[in-house]
Amino acid sequence: AVKKIQSRLKELGYFSGSIGGNFLSLTQSAVAAFQSAAKLTANGVVDYKTLEAMFDDDAPKNTSSSGGTGNSTATPAKGKAIEMDWWKSDIQSIFARGTTATITDVATGLSWREKRTGGTNHADVQPVTAADTAALKKAYGGSWSWNRRAIFVTINGVNYAASMNGMPHGSGSISGNNFDGHHCIHFTNSRTHGSNKVCSLHQAAIKKALAATL
């Protein structure tokens, strides 16, 4: 069954791994990317609705470049974003580990998909595909940077105000996405891992996201 899913995802352009029948992180990320394109809950779980959409004749194809020079298939967020406190709201369960979200950069309007793969004081995330990485890098003007940027994090159609840095660091678990490690997304009152302090630069970017209308 997993081989059939992998074969179909490869045919549609979402899966770049080998057809081995093992449902690991690369397959889960491909499923989440397809779900996002099909306007389903992007959780990487192959439920009945996902299977039905995947094997439909009109299943959405991933037309982005596998080399990372194309555009992400993510749809940019519209409207306003709401504020979520990292410790007092349920954003940690909404953006749980393994969840794929659409990220929209407030300043440029560029969007891409990111999967939360870790983090306790804030969310550690990775672009899902090489095309998502290309869109993230484009938002930073083509160079990786620690600069904080105001973003919308969209999950199940709801926009959340957040801030990101754009420097690959640490470990990463998604292969083939052209991103060496992970980067960080902060919400209101989330803290850094190293100093365990609230970062004023991230909080200022979150306020910018809250004030924005896309």
Side-chain angles (χ1 to χ4, degrees), residues 31-56:
V31 171
F34 169 78
Q35 289 170 322
S36 178
K39 296 180 168 47
L40 299 170
T41 301
N43 56 12
V45 177
V46 184
D47 55 15
Y48 177 76
K49 284 186 177 181
T50 300
L51 273 177
E52 189 176 42
M54 192 181 296
F55 288 93
D56 189 277

Side-chain angles (χ1 to χ4, degrees), residues 96-213:
R97 296 182 188 195
T99 300
T100 297
T102 295
I103 309 301
T104 305
D105 181 65
V106 168
T108 65
L110 291 167
S111 65
W112 59 91
R113 296 181 305 275
E114 300 257 11
K115 180 180 179 181
R116 184 183 173 198
T117 54
T120 51
N121 283 354
H122 57 256
D124 289 345
V125 299
Q126 298 169 55
V128 175
T129 67
D132 293 314
T133 296
L136 166 61
K137 196 169 188 177
K138 187 175 181 181
Y140 273 95
S143 300
W144 297 128
S145 170
W146 287 104
N147 289 344
R148 279 64 164 176
R149 296 186 68 87
I151 57 173
F152 283 14
V153 176
T154 305
I155 303 170
N156 293 333
V158 181
N159 303 325
Y160 303 99
S163 169
M164 69 175 179
N165 61 46
M167 182 61 70
H169 61 280
S171 60
S173 59
I174 300 177
S175 61
N177 66 349
N178 291 347
F179 195 84
D180 187 16
H182 65 268
H183 68 120
C184 307
I185 288 180
H186 283 240
F187 295 84
T188 296
N189 290 326
S190 57
R191 301 192 295 263
T192 61
H193 290 319
S195 64
N196 196 32
K197 293 180 179 178
V198 175
C199 173
S200 60
L201 296 175
H202 275 304
Q203 298 304 307
I206 293 167
K207 287 182 172 57
K208 182 178 178 181
L210 283 169
T213 301

